[in-house]
Each structure stands twice: as structure tokens, then as C-alpha cells.
Amino acid sequence: MVSADYDRTADLRALDATRAGVRGLVAAGIAELPRVFLLPPGERVDAEAAGGGGTLEIPVVDLGGDREQAVEAVRRAGEQWGFFQVVGHAVPTLSTEAAAAAVRGFHEGEREEVKRRLYSREPGRAVKYHCNFDLYQSRVANWRDTLYCRMAPDPPAPDELPDSCREALLEYSEHVKGLGNTLFELLSEALGLSPSYLTDIDCNQGQILLCHYYPPCPEPELAIGTSRHSDSGFLTVLLQDHVGGLQILHEDQWIDVPPIPGALVVNIGDLLQLISNDRFKSVEHRVLAKNDGPRISIACFFSTHFHPSSTRIYGPIKELLYEENPPLYRETLVRDFMKYYYSKGLDGKSAISHFRL
Ligand code: OGA
Ligand code: NI
């Protein structure tokens, strides 16, 4: 696979220079995977066999019912799974459908010149489009393109968002912000803190939408849609369509996160594991490449200031510590954490272990 005569960087540069992503390759009719996408033989997954996980299923929490029950369900899910699906969440179906359709429209139909103008990996840019944020850091390129929109803090000027999805994404991000605030309240209570604790320390201040597009893959068993990783922020709310392919690593088994119409997927990120001193788990997950599709997903990351100049520091929440439960992590500048996370690329190397005491 890795032979001396193979200039991987040159291939990556060539792919990058098209500014048209994986979708561009598929639109051009490639029948065989370019080498940069090939998984090493030992890491290939049989989509049919993987993700069974016996009878285990990730929890589904109804946010529209009894509050005490919701707090308890969120506590259990956050501690034992790090992942759950929510229903009764008050994000209108019309809005989720419009957002998913807009994202598909962007990836498939947006004018080439607009995509070329947006194509970037610059950290400071609020709105950008790219094929793999970590293209040059990762071992294996992922079969995925992404429209990245930083919605808070400092929302983009409306004309920075592409015409094809401006309205739908602005509306969807408002709804998800509301859901995020509800979830932070429930998670605060689940930790035995006041309901506003997590928002008081700004866990909801940053909001980034990653609007992913996974084109149908001609040789899905040789590629991966998203390499195994855990999310960097406090919390992620994910909208996935009906195609499937998302899996989480639970007790050493890959378990499917089945698409449920109307549900949203929620998972704990590294920073919430860190400040909860390991009460809540930031769990590894991945997305398989598939021959059907395309698959659309929109991941909304809640974090704090993503600014490189941020001086915000987080460590294990003092109220949760006592003699038998000492801090497991050192206090960390968010910007150092983010820098480290982005420098290593995805791929199952945990970022928070780097900050463990
Ligand atoms: C992510 C992610 C999953 C998906 O963006 O971090 O894990 O289903 N996405 O696209
Ligand atoms: Ni993720």
C-alpha cells in the first residue's frame, strides 16, 4: 500500500486542487477508488457484518414528557453510552427536512465558481467548503465533503452563506441552539448542579454546523466515510438522513446508530468529559462508506469560543470534586485543546488523554 514510488502528498494536492471534493470524483464517473482513500487491509469493514452489536441499542430519550425522567435518562445515557437519540425535541420536522435538502442542494447543485470560492481550510474563516478538514494530517482520506458554517459566536454576514442554503441553515441553527440549551440544562441537573450551570460557564457559546455529504462509494468496503474519532466540543447534535452508516464504539463493539425519522442524535464531546471529570463519556464513532446514498448529515458542535485568541480555561468542575474523586485533568486553555485536536487529525487517537493528569 505504502510504497516508496507513491507520492501520496502529490495525490492529495491534486485532489485538493480540483476544489470539487469527493463529489467531483463521483460526478466525473470514477469506478475505482483513488489510492488516498484506501484503508489499510487490516482496517477494512464489512458493512453487512459490522455494527450488529447483538441486541444492544443506544438509548432514545423523550424530551417532551416528564422532566425528572428526562434528567434521569440523560444522566444514564451520558454516563453509560455518551450517545443517545432524542425525540419530542421541538425542532420542527419542516426545518430539519429543509436543512438536509439545502445541504444536498449545495453539494450537488451549487455553481462551481461558488464552491471554488468557498473552498478553504483556513481556521479563521466562518464559512468554507472542503474535502476533509484534516486531509494532510490523516492517514486515510475520508469519503466525505463538508460545508462548514460557524454560526456563533460572530455569526457570518448573511451573504457569506451560499444562497442555496442560507435561509434553511439559519433557521435550523436557531432551533438547534434552543435544543442545545435544553440539553445543557438537563445535563447540568444530571450532574447535580443548578440547571443553568453549563450555560453559565459558556458551554453553549460556540456553534458550528458541519454539513456533510457522503457520496455513493464505488468500493465501499475499501474506504471509510468518517474515520473513528471523538468530538472535540462539549456537545454535538446530529441530524442524519435515512441512509445510515454511523456507528459508535461501545464496550469494544461497533454499534449502529439507526436512523429514526424525526429523531436527532446527541453525543457528549471531549470537553464535557473533561469538565465532568469523566462522569460523561466522549465516545468514539465512525461513518461507514456506502454504495447507496448519497448520505447527508448535519453535525452541530457546541463548544466555547473557537477563536485562536480565546483565553478561556476549563478544568474539572470544582463542585464535582471531593477527596475520593480528585481531578483527572489539568486546567486547559480551550485554544490549546483545539490546537492539539486539529493537529492530530481524526483516527481514534484520543485528544483528552493528552490533558490527563
Ligand atoms: C462528526 C461526525 C457523523 C455523521 O461530524 O464529527 O461524527 O453522521 N459526523 O456525519
Ligand atoms: Ni463526530
Side-chain angles (χ1 to χ4, degrees):
M1 199 72 35
V2 183
S3 62
D5 57 25
Y6 169 44
D7 187 346
R8 179 177 167 83
T9 307
D11 279 13
L12 293 172
R13 288 217 178 95
L15 169 63
D16 221 11
T18 67
R19 297 178 162 245
V22 178
R23 158 78 190 170
L25 299 174
V26 172
I30 56 145
E32 226 178 69
L33 283 195
R35 281 173 90 155
V36 294
F37 294 99
L38 286 180
L39 285 172
E43 295 174 30
R44 291 178 189 164
V45 222
D46 177 354
E48 297 306 314
T55 53
L56 284 177
E57 272 176 31
I58 82 160
V60 178
V61 178
D62 184 359
L63 300 182
D66 179 72
R67 188 177 175 90
E68 287 306 307
Q69 277 179 16
V71 169
E72 181 54 22
V74 162
R75 186 187 62 73
R76 233 178 302 126
E79 290 179 358
Q80 294 169 12
W81 288 84
F83 260 81
F84 49 102
Q85 309 218 42
V86 291
V87 294
H89 49 59
V91 180
T93 309
L94 269 180
S95 179
T96 56
E97 283 175 355
V103 168
R104 181 168 185 164
F106 171 81
H107 285 283
E108 293 182 352
E110 187 55 87
R111 279 173 301 148
E112 216 171 289
E113 67 194 77
V114 175
K115 279 182 155 176
R116 291 178 70 84
R117 203 162 358 99
L118 284 172
Y119 197 88
S120 168
R121 267 187 210 85
E122 245 176 81
R125 250 176 97 161
V127 180
K128 58 201 165 187
Y129 155 68
H130 48 233
C131 172
N132 293 213
F133 75 96
D134 59 348
L135 192 66
Y136 296 101
Q137 285 82 36
S138 65
R139 291 177 306 130
V140 180
N142 290 179
W143 196 256
R144 181 187 83 250
D145 301 324
T146 303
L147 172 66
Y148 167 113
C149 308
R150 188 191 66 222
M151 308 306 270
D154 307 332
D159 65 359
E160 280 183 81
L161 289 163
D163 294 346
S164 55
C165 37
R166 178 180 309 125
E167 212 182 313
L169 290 184
L170 284 171
E171 192 186 322
Y172 177 68
S173 77
E174 274 305 307
H175 287 301
V176 180
K177 188 193 280 180
L179 171 58
N181 288 338
T182 302
L183 289 164
F184 281 122
E185 279 186 10
L186 296 171
L187 289 160
S188 298
E189 289 186 53
L191 289 171
L193 303 165
S194 76
S196 64
Y197 195 98
L198 292 172
T199 52
D200 286 346
I201 60 167
D202 290 350
C203 295
N204 63 341
Q205 286 303 296
Q207 189 189 13
I208 287 177
L209 295 184
L210 297 186
C211 307
H212 299 306
Y213 183 84
Y214 299 86
C217 182
E219 298 179 284
E221 63 292 343
L222 303 183
I224 188 87
T226 300
S227 296
R228 57 189 289 180
H229 68 283
S230 57
D231 293 350
S232 62
F234 293 106
L235 194 68
T236 306
V237 174
L238 179 88
L239 165 62
Q240 65 168 338
D241 69 9
H242 61 280
V243 174
L246 174 62
Q247 299 183 327
I248 71 167
L249 189 58
H250 178 75
E251 292 169 358
D252 289 330
Q253 288 187 74
W254 288 103
I255 297 191
D256 286 328
V257 181
I260 300 176
L264 291 164
V265 179
V266 177
N267 66 287
I268 307 292
D270 288 352
L271 284 173
L272 189 49
Q273 177 171 338
L274 185 149
I275 66 171
S276 74
N277 209 39
D278 280 357
R279 277 277 295 277
F280 293 142
K281 304 289 185 300
S282 174
V283 165
E284 277 189 45
H285 49 286
R286 68 181 182 189
V287 181
L288 302 182
K290 290 201 158 198
N291 193 229
D292 45 358
R295 175 175 185 270
I296 314 293
S297 68
I298 305 178
C300 176
F301 293 116
F302 291 99
S303 191
T304 180
H305 301 245
F306 285 100
H307 292 299
S309 61
S310 163
T311 53
R312 188 85 216 204
I313 287 178
Y314 284 93
I317 293 171
K318 299 277 187 301
E319 286 84 340
L320 301 180
L321 304 176
Y322 45 92
E323 210 173 326
E324 296 82 47
N325 185 32
L328 300 172
Y329 300 93
R330 56 190 159 91
E331 299 208 311
T332 303
L333 272 165
V334 174
R335 68 160 184 248
D336 288 346
F337 182 80
M338 291 300 167
K339 206 157 101 197
Y340 180 73
Y341 185 92
Y342 282 102
S343 70
K344 72 178 186 53
L346 298 183
D347 242 356
K349 289 160 288 182
S350 151
I352 43 171
S353 57
H354 187 75
F355 298 90
R356 241 185 136 89
L357 286 168

